[in-house]
Amino acid sequence: MPIKQMGVRMDTESPEYRWRKAQRSSQESLTRLIDMAIENYGYTDLVDAIINDAIKHTKISVNSNEKEIFVDLSKSTDEKLNELGKQLMKESSRRLKKK
């Protein structure tokens, strides 16, 4: 089985870096995270999948009537929309950490 080494750069002030430093084995922990991502989203771009999932479950009120928004961002070239999705993903992640 061929093996490929990959490197990851992280801001040393980021929560992701703090998480990584708390792991006994970064490789084992990242492998388990990848397994969980595959289980939940399959073999697709994780960022797109999470953004799509967040947007699919977004509800808004218009004239006091609740409406659901369904948007597919796969292969989106709109950078502003992509940035908004990334921000939603970070906020969602922070909320999960607080629980």
Side-chain angles (χ1 to χ4, degrees):
M1 160 175 72
I3 295 176
K4 178 153 177 115
Q5 182 174 341
M6 294 185 223
V8 178
R9 293 178 187 223
M10 294 181 183
D11 179 352
T12 57
E13 303 295 319
S14 71
E16 293 84 1
Y17 183 78
R18 278 186 47 214
W19 175 86
R20 191 205 112 356
K21 292 299 282 181
Q23 305 311 303
R24 218 172 339 144
S25 167
S26 293
Q27 181 173 341
E28 183 71 18
S29 296
L30 289 171
T31 299
R32 297 299 147 242
L33 278 175
I34 292 168
D35 290 343
M36 289 170 38
I38 292 168
E39 180 76 24
N40 287 302
Y41 299 104
Y43 294 92
T44 185
D45 183 77
L46 182 62
V47 174
D48 281 349
I50 291 171
I51 291 169
N52 285 336
D53 194 46
I55 289 177
K56 284 178 183 174
H57 295 96
T58 299
K59 294 183 180 185
I60 60 168
S61 290
V62 178
N63 297 331
S64 73
N65 292 325
E66 198 172 81
K67 304 281 182 187
E68 285 193 59
I69 300 173
F70 296 96
V71 179
D72 184 7
L73 292 180
S74 297
K75 299 180 181 162
S76 173
T77 57
D78 187 342
E79 288 186 27
K80 288 184 181 178
L81 192 54
N82 197 12
E83 271 307 309
L84 176 63
K86 287 178 185 177
Q87 196 62 26
L88 281 171
M89 187 173 62
K90 285 181 184 178
E91 289 173 19
S92 178
S93 176
R94 285 187 188 115
R95 277 189 230 126
L96 287 173
K97 288 177 189 175
K98 289 181 183 178
K99 289 184 178 182

